[in-house]
Amino acid sequence: MPTPGLGAHDGRHKLCSKFCSKGVRGARIRVSRKTTRLEDLAKLAGVSISTASRALNDSPAVNDRTKQLIWKLAREHDYPFRRHMPSGPIGAEATLALVVPRPQGRDGRLFDPFMLELMAGVSEAARDRDCDLLVSHFSPTSYDDLISAMTTSRAEGLIFLGQSTLHGAFNRLVQTEARFVVWGAQLPDQDYCCVGSDNIAGGRRATLHLARLGRKRIVFLGDLDPPEAMQRQRGYVDALEAAGLPFDPDLVVDAHFEVESAEASLDSLIHRGVAFDGVVCASDQIALGAMRALEREGRRVPHDVSVIGFDNVPFSRYSRPALTTIAQDTQKAGRLMVSKLLDAGGETAGRSERVPADLIVRESCGG
């Protein structure tokens, strides 16, 4: 019978309200929610449908206050609006995106000290140009990934921090797309725009510095796959020749850009009984690992072994002893990469450039 005081229809409505989320024996029943339509947003905002549509698409024909109101309503009512949103807050001159490829197939390290310094340089340069900067979650490993990154990004330009194994893919990409710049090594057959340090000169300066201090058995410690590290090793070999020192392949030791990897690699060299009195490291993290291994084995830095790094990250000046290193100008690098994307019509926009690699002498080399 109907509930007293209610019609049959109203009684069923009350029962439905009571049990809409429960079925027989407590079983759950899915209740579909009404989908918010563009017409609904327009009505809620008190504007026409065409104005709501233009606001969602960030049209300059709609004032900022109306856009913000409609975006707020869209968020509150679960309207699928995010694909229409601008890449960053209103008022930016442009939006640039940072993409970090995985290094040689390994996991990307966004917290790498040098990577953070480089990102800071790009960020400062973007802010000086009134631009927003996005850090993408995407980590491309192939040409198809690069195409996807370019075609699905709303940013005006992309900065790839590192080449990884994508040199050939970047050369293909630039044939159809020019809205990107790469941080990395400059290679002889390079068609794309690349900003990077003079890695060969840096490796040469580091090695010659140790040779001038009288070191005769100098180790090169670093990852031998990345293009930048390979160029630093080339500078090391050139310096040995210039200093009249023989090249010994036993003194070229592989180590990833991590403290623990470098520590383990140099520890292995020591336990194999290989004699050396100097270490040129492909990064400051590697240098820190080398100094840890030497300290554990009772070898004093710089009295017994001189150590020199590469990057000049902040911790290098605070290590004990303070680390001699090769500085990469991340502030200048950031400005160059941002300007090459924003000043596309300029004479140097598509031209690859190198920033200096300067020797910073501290305590870890002695002399």
Side-chain angles (χ1 to χ4, degrees):
M1 294 179 61
T3 302
L6 295 176
H9 174 77
D10 291 336
R12 285 194 299 271
H13 178 74
K14 284 290 186 181
L15 289 173
C16 180
S17 297
K18 183 176 180 180
F19 296 107
C20 63
S21 63
K22 290 188 177 181
V24 178
R25 296 179 182 175
R28 303 294 295 181
I29 299 176
R30 293 182 179 273
V31 179
S32 61
R33 297 179 62 182
K34 180 182 177 182
T35 301
T36 302
R37 303 170 302 170
L38 182 61
E39 300 93 299
D40 301 324
L41 285 182
K43 185 175 181 180
L44 287 166
V47 300
S48 67
I49 294 175
S50 60
T51 297
S53 177
R54 291 191 187 100
L56 288 170
N57 284 283
D58 194 27
S59 169
V62 181
N63 65 61
D64 291 349
R65 186 172 181 179
T66 300
K67 288 179 186 177
Q68 291 169 339
L69 170 62
I70 292 173
W71 293 337
K72 180 176 182 291
L73 291 169
R75 185 180 293 106
E76 291 173 350
H77 293 272
D78 294 327
Y79 184 81
F81 73 103
R82 293 189 181 279
R83 66 182 182 275
H84 302 289
M85 289 281 284
S87 301
I90 296 172
E93 292 294 325
T95 298
L96 306 177
L98 281 177
V99 180
V100 184
R102 296 187 186 279
Q104 276 63 47
R106 299 189 303 277
D107 289 339
R109 299 290 184 180
L110 290 178
F111 56 82
D112 177 278
F114 176 73
M115 189 66 69
L116 292 175
E117 288 290 298
L118 190 57
M119 292 170 70
V122 174
S123 180
E124 288 293 335
R127 185 163 63 177
D128 288 345
R129 298 291 297 269
D130 294 326
C131 293
D132 290 321
L133 187 67
L134 302 178
V135 179
S136 175
H137 74 285
F138 193 56
S139 188
T141 59
S142 67
Y143 171 72
D144 288 340
D145 285 348
L146 295 182
I147 288 289
S148 177
M150 296 301 303
T151 57
T152 61
S153 175
R154 292 170 292 168
E156 280 77 7
L158 275 69
I159 297 173
F160 292 95
L161 295 185
Q163 291 153 311
S164 186
T165 57
L166 295 169
H167 171 64
F170 283 129
N171 270 346
R172 288 180 62 190
L173 182 65
V174 79
Q175 304 306 315
T176 57
E177 180 59 74
R179 297 180 303 113
F180 73 95
V181 63
V182 177
W183 166 266
Q186 294 181 43
L187 305 172
D189 60 342
Q190 196 169 77
D191 296 325
Y192 55 91
C193 179
C194 178
V195 173
S197 290
D198 192 338
N199 294 293
I200 297 174
R204 186 186 300 117
R205 287 191 181 109
T207 309
L208 283 175
H209 181 67
L210 296 190
R212 292 189 187 107
L213 293 174
R215 302 304 183 179
K216 305 294 184 183
R217 297 275 297 170
I218 302 172
V219 171
F220 180 85
L221 183 63
D223 198 330
L224 304 181
D225 289 330
E228 291 171 291
M230 290 176 63
Q231 290 185 344
R232 293 167 195 177
Q233 184 196 1
R234 177 180 161 188
Y236 158 83
V237 173
D238 290 348
L240 291 179
E241 183 178 356
L245 297 175
F247 172 76
D248 183 347
D250 286 341
L251 297 180
V252 177
V253 181
D254 192 16
H256 296 324
F257 284 78
E258 300 166 354
V259 172
E260 294 79 9
S261 175
E263 187 174 0
S265 293
L266 197 64
D267 190 61
S268 175
L269 186 72
I270 293 170
H271 288 146
R272 284 192 284 122
V274 178
F276 63 93
D277 55 9
V279 186
V280 169
C281 303
S283 78
D284 287 349
Q285 284 200 93
I286 290 174
L288 185 59
M291 289 197 294
R292 284 167 57 91
L294 290 167
E295 181 182 18
R296 188 174 57 252
E297 293 298 322
R299 300 195 184 189
R300 298 169 298 167
V301 177
H303 304 287
D304 301 322
V305 180
S306 294
V307 177
I308 186 166
F310 206 113
D311 287 339
N312 194 34
V313 298
F315 74 69
S316 63
R317 72 193 68 179
Y318 302 118
S319 65
R320 288 292 178 267
L323 181 63
T324 297
T325 186
I326 299 294
Q328 302 189 76
D329 192 338
T330 54
Q331 297 297 311
K332 182 176 182 179
R335 291 193 300 270
L336 282 171
M337 288 188 281
V338 168
S339 67
K340 287 180 181 300
L341 291 177
L342 297 181
D343 304 327
E347 294 181 1
T348 63
R351 187 179 71 193
S352 293
E353 295 191 48
R354 288 183 288 184
V355 298
D358 297 322
L359 177 66
I360 308 296
V361 178
R362 298 195 181 103
E363 301 168 349
S364 64
C365 287

